Amino acid sequence: MADGPRVGLVLGAGGPVGHAFHAGVLAALEDRGWDARDAAVIVGTSIGAITGTLLRVGVSPEDLYAHVMGRPMSEEGEARAGHGAGWAMMTCDLQHSGTSVGRPSSPRLLAHFVRRPSRTRAGLLLAALTPSGAVSSAPISDEIDEMLGRSWPDRPFWVCAVCLDTGERVVLGQPGSPAIDVGTAVAASIGVPAVFQPVVVDGRRLVDGGLHSPANADVIADALDQIDAVIVSAPMGIGSAPGRLGVDIPGRYLNHWTTEKELSRVRDAGLPVTVFEPGPGELEFMHYNAFDLSHRAEIAMRAYEHVAGDASPPVAAARLDTPA
């Protein structure tokens, strides 16, 4: 690991479009002096768990960015990413394959919300009402296990999922969490309801961690003794005035406020926190469809330019102010 502050990295949800945003942000940070592969702790949710996996196997931010931009990766990047078959599906080439039709996937969770309406979250309610997906995530988990040899990375990598029957968040990879392989954990975290089949772990049906929170940024507070600063890449948020109207904008503001609230414990501990969220440049191409791949290169480039153009000190100095 490189010298410098111990940085906790939070990579939020957002589908393949979110991966393009992550790639641009991380590539710009690398050019500014901090390599995300050196993160002391990584917390990944949904597509953020995929991006975090690739960092933990040693794929550089530069190679992540190159792939999204349609450029060749380095030989080392190709080798670490597994040379191909599953790599494209795992990240920015993942396609939305339609939803299934049928009975609600979790009457038990619906009953829980009826009894305790104050605990209802919109994403979880929608997940409970929609039918279970038909697409298996096994190819993704198999590809990840092949890259990591079924073992967890040496440095902390925490993956957020949700129990479909109780609404409980499950953080996999932390001490005391279920003893499963990392591929299964990531497959659970990306399990978009009505698209992917839930992943069963210890008798619990686990689905997309983004249903609990778009970033689950509060999880990084469990690592306060291991980090000196925090960086959050939150593709589903909004960092400034959007520059456009759209049905996604109110939800983006809600996601922004949720992430800010989740980071209060970290800020109260005195750690510098930087949150990267889409601004008007990225939002010109980022809309409500997280599976729309038609503008991934533009999104990654705008995210890169946003972070690269920020005048604050590099994270290697342990201070990186939130960009305007």
Side-chain angles (χ1 to χ4, degrees), residues 228-254:
D228 306 307
V230 172
I231 290 177
V232 180
S233 178
M236 296 180 68
I238 187 168
S240 61
R244 65 167 175 82
L245 300 176
V247 296
D248 60 316
I249 298 303
R252 287 186 176 278
Y253 276 115
L254 178 60

Side-chain angles (χ1 to χ4, degrees), residues 139-181:
I140 297 173
S141 61
D142 290 345
E143 181 75 13
I144 291 171
D145 283 336
E146 182 177 343
M147 288 192 296
L148 285 164
R150 299 186 65 83
S151 61
W152 284 80
D154 294 335
R155 284 174 286 175
F157 178 43
W158 299 342
V159 176
C160 300
V162 172
C163 177
L164 184 57
D165 294 309
T166 66
E168 174 192 10
R169 180 175 64 192
V170 181
V171 183
L172 301 161
Q174 282 186 328
S177 66
I180 61 173
D181 58 278

Side-chain angles (χ1 to χ4, degrees), residues 9-37:
L9 176 62
V10 177
L11 298 168
V17 167
H19 175 73
F21 181 81
H22 288 321
V25 168
L26 299 177
L29 289 175
E30 183 178 34
D31 285 349
R32 291 179 56 191
W34 182 71
D35 189 330
R37 291 176 293 181

Side-chain angles (χ1 to χ4, degrees), residues 212-275:
H212 181 274
S213 162
N216 290 292
D218 55 322
V219 173
I220 200 66
D222 294 340
L224 288 177
D225 61 339
Q226 304 175 56
I227 57 177
D228 306 307
V230 172
I231 290 177
V232 180
S233 178
M236 296 180 68
I238 187 168
S240 61
R244 65 167 175 82
L245 300 176
V247 296
D248 60 316
I249 298 303
R252 287 186 176 278
Y253 276 115
L254 178 60
N255 293 340
H256 168 80
W257 295 327
T258 297
T259 299
E260 287 299 309
K261 182 179 179 181
E262 290 175 341
L263 289 166
S264 60
R265 184 177 158 200
V266 177
R267 290 194 169 102
D268 289 347
L271 273 65
V273 176
T274 302
V275 180

